[in-house]
Amino acid sequence: MLELRLVQGSLLKKVLEAIKDLVNDANFDCSATGFSLQAMDSSHVALVALLLRSEGFEHYRCDRNLSMGMNLGNMAKMLKCAGNDDIITLKADDGSDTVTFMFESPTQDKISDFEMKLMDIDSEHLGIPEAEYHAIVRMPSSEFGRICKDLSSIGDTVVISVTKEGVKFSTRGDIGTANIVCRQNNTVDKPEEATIIEMTEPVSLTFALRYMNSFTKATPLSSIVTLSLSSDLPVVVEYKIAEMGYIRFYLAPKIEE
Amino acid sequence: VNPQRQITSFFSKT
């Protein structure tokens, strides 16, 4: 028996909007720790890892570890039917091939339930080792989204370079080139507007902008994004989910010519 | 065009 009650149902709506275009089908894993997902895109270039900790739910009942295969497009369709202020409860019985989403309006005058078919998904689970990153950039998520969108109108790839001077995003395409430098800036009034760079050594990596733009669909989940870079590892693009956990996107770099 | 690496070349199956 599984029963998860999330008062801030909009978080789950935003999570699905953030990942549904990257991954078609995925297993949601439910354990005492929380509600989690790990999935790769169909090309095995990017990986998404989601964790919503059990403490973040108003009510969290998970009698035994459960893996539920869902089509994310269909799940997003159902969650779109929940209001932004609705409380969302997920329910599943042991051995059932369906999951039920219950939506309650804040005033309890409208209660809906949507039952969705589960599916068998043969997915690989990858071990993600703890890593020391050469550079960690923390910046406003809206700024990162703007940069990825702007650069993708010029080129297909972005070179992210971190030095003591700041973080540089560069692209080139048929019409020309673009470079955007964000300097460390931690003197702003609001912490969510700061750009903070921690660097042990300079790093420069090339990534496909198509994936970066897809990751920025998680922007509504957090005002801050963290980019963790090492010269021989996938970049980690992390959006923290307040009080609950995170959504992390891993993207394999392109090989430098 | 820079060739694209795959995630599976960095992280192994558990």
Side-chain angles (χ1 to χ4, degrees):
Chain A
M1 171 86 185
L2 171 91
E3 198 168 287
L4 317 182
R5 183 177 159 92
L6 183 62
V7 173
Q8 205 181 338
S10 60
L11 284 182
L12 196 59
K13 286 164 68 78
K14 289 175 187 170
V15 163
L16 262 291
E17 289 307 307
I19 60 179
K20 73 177 168 67
D21 295 333
L22 185 67
V23 176
N24 296 326
D25 305 315
N27 283 316
F28 281 88
D29 297 311
C30 205
S31 71
T33 310
F35 192 61
S36 65
L37 169 149
Q38 189 202 83
M40 280 185 282
D41 78 297
S42 57
S43 308
H44 291 193
V45 169
L47 179 145
V48 56
L50 163 77
L51 175 64
L52 299 175
R53 289 186 197 93
S54 51
E55 303 85 60
F57 292 83
E58 190 205 39
H59 171 70
Y60 190 94
R61 178 177 172 188
C62 175
D63 296 343
R64 61 184 184 86
N65 291 359
L66 195 63
S67 189
M68 295 186 290
M70 302 197 208
N71 174 282
L72 300 189
N74 292 343
M75 187 177 173
K77 278 182 197 172
M78 295 210 163
L79 292 177
K80 269 196 176 159
C81 301
N84 280 327
D85 301 327
D86 281 2
I87 297 165
I88 298 181
T89 303
L90 269 72
K91 292 183 195 179
D93 290 320
D94 287 343
S96 170
D97 58 358
T98 61
V99 60
T100 299
F101 303 106
M102 187 174 84
F103 310 143
E104 295 166 70
S105 67
T107 49
Q108 304 283 316
D109 51 5
K110 180 180 171 191
I111 296 171
S112 323
D113 60 84
F114 291 69
E115 189 180 83
M116 190 178 80
K117 290 174 188 158
L118 295 176
M119 53 199 295
D120 284 323
I121 299 167
D122 195 16
S123 71
E124 302 169 16
H125 204 270
L126 301 182
I128 302 169
E130 287 285 317
E132 292 282 330
Y133 286 93
H134 294 155
I136 297 174
V137 178
R138 183 182 175 279
M139 65 189 292
S141 60
S142 56
E143 185 60 56
F144 178 66
R146 170 79 195 267
I147 290 168
C148 292
K149 181 165 168 280
D150 287 350
L151 293 186
S152 60
S153 66
I154 314 283
D156 296 328
T157 60
V158 58
V159 180
I160 304 180
S161 311
V162 186
T163 63
K164 281 194 307 240
E165 313 308 317
V167 53
K168 184 167 76 168
F169 302 89
S170 308
T171 194
R172 62 174 60 242
D174 294 340
I175 64 167
T177 63
N179 296 291
I180 300 170
V181 177
C182 298
R183 294 184 195 284
Q184 169 140 299
N185 169 20
N186 53 9
T187 54
V188 290
D189 295 340
K190 298 177 188 165
E192 65 268 25
E193 288 172 3
T195 297
I196 295 165
I197 298 168
E198 289 170 39
M199 190 197 81
T200 54
E201 56 183 279
V203 57
S204 180
L205 288 162
T206 305
F207 299 101
L209 272 168
R210 185 166 70 84
Y211 287 97
M212 286 292 181
N213 266 311
S214 175
F215 304 162
T216 64
K217 289 180 179 158
T219 304
L221 282 166
S222 177
S223 57
I224 293 162
V225 65
T226 305
L227 314 177
S228 302
L229 299 126
S230 266
S231 50
D232 48 358
L233 283 177
V235 62
V236 190
V237 180
E238 180 182 64
Y239 296 83
K240 289 232 187 314
I241 303 172
E243 329 268 289
M244 290 211 77
Y246 56 78
I247 184 162
R248 291 178 185 152
F249 299 99
Y250 296 80
L251 177 60
K254 291 194 155 238
I255 297 166
E256 300 291 334
E257 298 271 20
Chain B
V1 180
N2 306 49
Q4 175 67 60
R5 295 187 68 178
Q6 289 199 318
I7 279 287
T8 41
S9 69
F10 297 94
F11 303 149
S12 51
K13 284 185 210 176
T14 54

